[in-house]
Amino acid sequence: ELTADPSLLASGIIIESNLDTKKGITASAIIKNGTLKRGQFAVCGGSISPLRIVENFLGKPINEATFSSPIRIIGWDVPPTVGEAFVCVEDKKEAIAIATQNAEVAKALETAPAKDDVNKEIIPLIIKTDTSGSLDALIYEIAKLENDRIVPKIVMASLGPVTENDIRVAGGNDNAIVIGFHTKIDPQAESLALRLGISFQMFDIIYKLTEWLEVAL
């Protein structure tokens, strides 16, 4: 008995996102309500994408899509989070306003002190992966490693190779660890990490990553 209104601006759910070396940041999504049209803007959390390039499930460019349609949106500024809702708006100004508000809410939640962590050692982690699905899996596995003395806290997580900026972020956090999964580390980033004494490790198998990290923690 599901119903929807094609006259509304589209909204839906992000089901996958990744960094395409040729196209940029792309996200697959399902429209749950309304109609999406080229020329609009999509917003998911703090992520924005102009709807210039939209593809159907066959990878063919389309000008609009409506509810129940699987689509691919290309051109996000940062990877949207899998499982989060997206909405479409008519202009960039409104998109920026919504994304800014979402980011402020997320930051407030992230920086709120956890009562149970007061007497624990917090180990900052910088995570880089190939897809958002891998990122979600890692976040889930890393959460299991918390114990009565140590809390592994992800201070930054994104898609793509480990860069110099990631190493600089690690350098600004005591005892930080940089981890790459199904991705690479830039030569300049590796050189900087060695100079600063930043611990980093690259993995292709998730259980080996968690085993190594458990020992490192």
Side-chain angles (χ1 to χ4, degrees):
E1 302 298 325
L2 298 178
T3 59
D5 185 348
S7 68
L8 299 176
L9 290 167
S11 59
I13 298 292
I14 302 295
I15 58 175
E16 181 61 283
S17 66
N18 59 73
L19 177 62
D20 188 303
T21 55
K22 294 182 180 179
K23 295 182 178 180
I25 299 172
T26 71
S28 299
I30 295 290
I31 301 174
K32 295 181 68 177
N33 198 11
T35 300
L36 173 150
K37 297 180 180 180
R38 284 186 61 188
Q40 297 173 342
F41 287 79
V43 184
C44 177
S47 308
I48 298 174
S49 179
L51 297 179
R52 296 193 190 99
I53 305 175
V54 182
E55 298 175 346
N56 63 14
F57 71 98
L58 297 173
K60 303 295 184 182
I62 55 175
N63 291 322
E64 67 176 61
T66 191
F67 43 86
S68 82
S69 299
I71 57 169
R72 182 180 292 114
I73 300 171
I74 300 168
W76 296 85
D77 54 352
V78 293
T81 302
V82 170
E84 279 199 14
F86 77 90
V87 296
C88 290
V89 295
E90 293 287 3
D91 59 75
K92 187 175 183 179
K93 184 177 180 180
E94 186 178 0
I96 291 174
I98 294 172
T100 300
Q101 183 179 20
N102 291 342
E104 288 174 353
V105 171
K107 185 176 181 180
L109 292 172
E110 183 180 334
T111 56
K115 294 180 180 179
D116 296 337
D117 293 346
V118 174
N119 299 315
K120 296 181 181 181
E121 180 76 14
I122 295 177
I123 307 298
L125 302 178
I126 288 85
I127 309 295
K128 300 299 292 278
T129 69
D130 58 339
T131 68
S132 56
S134 297
L135 193 57
D136 290 342
L138 273 183
I139 291 171
Y140 177 76
E141 292 298 326
I142 288 170
K144 296 178 183 178
L145 299 179
E146 180 177 346
N147 58 41
D148 57 354
R149 296 184 300 107
I150 294 173
V151 178
K153 181 179 180 181
I154 299 174
V155 297
M156 190 169 76
S158 61
L159 307 184
V162 177
T163 65
E164 286 183 274
N165 182 61
D166 300 322
I167 300 301
R168 291 192 185 98
V169 171
N173 291 271
D174 292 340
N175 300 320
I177 299 173
V178 179
I179 297 173
F181 183 71
H182 275 300
T183 189
K184 298 178 180 180
I185 181 169
D186 291 342
Q188 299 89 341
E190 184 172 1
S191 177
L192 182 60
L194 293 172
R195 289 203 309 271
L196 297 179
I198 302 297
S199 177
F200 69 92
Q201 198 74 24
M202 315 304 287
F203 294 91
D204 290 320
I205 301 174
I206 197 164
Y207 81 84
K208 289 188 176 181
L209 186 158
T210 53
E211 285 179 351
W212 177 88
L213 184 56
E214 188 170 15
V215 174
L217 291 172

